[in-house]
Amino acid sequence: MEVESDSHIHMCWQVLSARTKKWPLADIISTVEFNYSGDLLATGDKGGRVVIFQREQENKSRPHSRGEYNVYSTFQSHEPEFDYLKSLEIEEKINKIRWLPQQNAAHFLLSTNDKTIKLWKISERDKRAEGYNLKDEDGRLRDPFRITALRVPILKPMDLMVEASPRRIFANAHTYHINSISVNSDHETYLSADDLRINLWHLEITDRSFNIVDIKPANMEELTEVITAAEFHPHQCNVFVYSSSKGTIRLCDMRSSALCDRHSKFFEEPEDPSSRSFFSEIISSISDVKFSHSGRYMMSRDYLSVKVWDLNMESRPLETHQVHEYLRSKLCSLYENDCIFDKFECCWNGSDSAIMTGSYNNFFRMFDRDTRRDVTLEASRESSKPRASLKPRKVCTGGKRKKDEISVDSLDFNKKILHTAWHPADSVIAVAATNNLYIFQGKIN
Amino acid sequence: MEFKLEAHRIVSISLGKIYNSRVQRGGIKLHKNLLVSLVLRSARQVYLSDPCPGLYLAGPAGIPAPPPQQLGEPAAGPPAGWGEPPPPAAGASWADTEPQPEGSAVSEAPRVGDAVPEATVTGVGVVPQGGAADAAKAAWSRVEGPRQAAAGEAEGPAGGWGVFPLGSRASRRPCGCPLGGEDSSGTPAATPRAACCCAPRPAEDEPPAPPAVCPRKRGAAGVGGGPTSFPAPGSTPLKKPRRNLEQPPSGGEDDDTEEMDTGNVANLISIFGSSFSGLLRKSPGGGREEEEGEKSGPEAAEPGQICCDKPVLRDMNPWSTAIVAF
């Protein structure tokens, strides 16, 4: 197992696929998610579209495909809507996509915008029935009186067609903007969370949901925190967590009560008073929370760091990894240009030994939990020639800038990587950089 | 002093953000506005606790004005610094008095025209965090000198608040100028003022005779719609009478295109209607509107909108309203 001893993150990361588009704003990728097997990768964008990529099977006839991801299906999931009662436009931007475990030949995923969650069925069709009696090949109905003989339709192969159809629409359950959905390990229910409430749904039932968390104060003037992310435990179907804008994470057990306003566990790291600033509250707001695959740990992402928590220890995180601490002195500028409100996501690798999250200037960071090493890589067109290896990058935080380093002031804050995903088993990662999607494969060097 | 500059700038930026959030697609984002209001609160606390010349509205030079009659002022008493620059030792007292009961109505100090505007805002019941006390103390010791010099410079009511370039203006011109720039309402342009790039002077430059201007018939008349008397759209049930015109915006604006325009504030207030956040107040001071039932304009009808607190708004001048509300 010599191979395993080397740091996951210090592999040679090569471009597997790079889908770059020059399309306008609507194509900013807003979510990226591998399915359970990793063969499918779904992306949602600001225009309400979902694009699914499928991994090519490596086969002898095409040895160089190396398991590339190619477009499998594209469909419009959500359209812009208008709430006439409140005179509000509802954005079609896809906030989250979550796959359901595969149970038959079709694939199912949940996609959500600010208000409505939809269950989509993606199925393949590679056969077509021919030889109907009541309609001819063009589909026109035949006059029954003219039929003189009967035949049995036969199935003929056709070009593969991938169809996406909405099977369920879960609407009108959220007053505030939905920020998370999470499929339960029972594969029958899922939760959806908005700023103040979390609802529990059954996948088969669209006309009702159960409210399991409600932090809306009786007097909205007393509002001090909102829910920022929520997720079910990967194995315990009664446990879920939700994070707040105050930097806290609450773990709730649905067996304890119908309304889980009282948490079972409360995870918070005491604030360091010496680092207090105007923006302390903003940067402590948690933008993403993810359970590890094992279910023993969870990870939270706030503006400057990623923290790994042990579910058995509420008082402080197990590990804290600084993503871009050099931005701490720039918080005022980042507040002005709104970057401080960016919500970065984070993800685990399949073995929970490494974590990854995005940063600015199209940089993303990987942290190896075993070796305590980290690396900064860049997802850009220049560094994405096929089979090119990503070079580790470094940000110069002060003093003399070495060659190949980038100074903090030259970082491009418009190029942000908010969404990343890691293949559930292999060393394959998907990185969304604005409206470009990069898929990298790691090879031990 | 630096704290104050920074705080000032941040307050103006924050207000700009809140203002702009009205027109964002998809409705007002509750999370972002919550964070902005928290920043606004922090900045305001620092701003208040960092005394600066010109912020105190004394009558004749050097003579502190008597504390104003305060409508509904809580038993906690007027915050230190009413009508006079608080002595340095009061740095601690600032911290002490600031955690007033939230029910405290907004002080009427600006009405008198000579009160410390920040006291007004403080009176709204913002509970500063402990850290503010330290900042206050530090700021106090630093600013003592200039304070004396500025003691003689009268300031119109809401003059101190005039410092804040609000709304879109704010976002266009983040002000880094020393707040001393607001000193010279009647005096010839003081150096800091000349140096002030954005010179956010309050429109009410004219009233170095503050008491004259002050009586504003506040009471139950409700919060003013501001000098431009822009009626708040659908600001039910809190009617904002046309407050205006005790402080005509024309004021001292002629000489400087960058003059603060209270009309801006008035617009800001009106536009937000009664959808102010009582976030800065820990407890509801009075009639609270269900946000679902709120009808104060389309932007306020958004479910994420935060409600206003009527009694608070009723008793404040537009400046304080704008600031405090968020």
Side-chain angles (χ1 to χ4, degrees), chain A residues 292-308:
Chain A
S292 65
H293 290 91
S294 63
R296 166 115 189 251
Y297 305 101
M298 65 178 175
M299 163 167 61
S300 65
R301 173 71 156 103
D302 51 67
Y303 190 64
L304 297 179
S305 68
V306 183
K307 297 178 181 172
V308 176

Side-chain angles (χ1 to χ4, degrees), chain A residues 295-410:
Chain A
R296 166 115 189 251
Y297 305 101
M298 65 178 175
M299 163 167 61
S300 65
R301 173 71 156 103
D302 51 67
Y303 190 64
L304 297 179
S305 68
V306 183
K307 297 178 181 172
V308 176
W309 302 80
D310 184 325
L311 292 190
N312 298 320
M313 183 166 73
E314 302 168 51
S315 54
R316 61 172 204 281
L318 206 57
E319 304 158 17
T320 301
H321 303 276
Q322 300 301 335
V323 180
H324 36 218
E325 181 69 13
Y326 46 79
L327 295 183
R328 192 181 285 272
S329 54
K330 311 256 176 233
L331 292 180
C332 195
S333 320
L334 295 167
Y335 179 71
E336 275 185 78
N337 62 17
D338 270 1
C339 283
I340 206 174
F341 301 105
D342 288 335
K343 296 189 184 174
F344 292 94
E345 293 175 8
C346 52
C347 57
W348 298 85
N349 73 340
S351 58
D352 297 337
S353 61
I355 57 184
M356 171 169 64
T357 188
S359 178
Y360 293 103
N361 209 68
N362 280 347
F363 288 170
F364 58 99
R365 305 259 287 139
M366 285 185 188
F367 303 91
D368 189 306
R369 299 178 59 222
D370 301 331
T371 62
R372 317 294 288 182
R373 287 152 74 185
D374 60 81
V375 69
T376 303
L377 301 171
E378 181 179 359
S380 69
R381 228 166 280 161
E382 294 75 34
S383 56
S384 300
K385 306 288 184 295
R387 279 188 271 285
S389 294
L390 293 182
K391 209 175 49 167
R393 308 304 304 262
K394 194 147 164 51
V395 175
C396 160
T397 53
K400 286 180 60 164
R401 186 176 78 85
K402 300 195 190 63
K403 181 172 169 299
D404 280 353
E405 281 187 358
I406 299 193
S407 75
V408 180
D409 299 310
S410 357

Side-chain angles (χ1 to χ4, degrees), chain A residues 243-269:
Chain A
S243 60
S244 83
S245 56
K246 270 192 176 171
T248 65
I249 306 164
R250 289 172 174 81
L251 182 143
C252 299
D253 188 331
M254 294 196 289
R255 297 173 300 188
S256 59
S257 68
L259 191 59
C260 299
D261 280 356
R262 290 171 51 186
H263 51 263
S264 300
K265 294 196 184 186
F266 183 75
F267 299 83
E268 184 181 31
E269 181 172 33

Side-chain angles (χ1 to χ4, degrees), chain B residues 8 155 158-166 169 173 175-179 181-183 193 196-203 205 256 258-261 319:
Chain B
H8 172 204
E155 196 66 24
W161 291 113
V163 175
F164 292 88
L166 284 179
R169 217 174 256 221
R173 288 196 313 276
C175 172
C177 67
L179 291 174
E182 76 207 49
D183 289 349
R193 181 177 152 91
C196 171
C197 56
C198 71
R201 282 289 307 122
D205 279 348
D256 187 352
E258 292 174 333
E259 284 283 285
M260 169 60 65
D261 180 10
W319 290 100

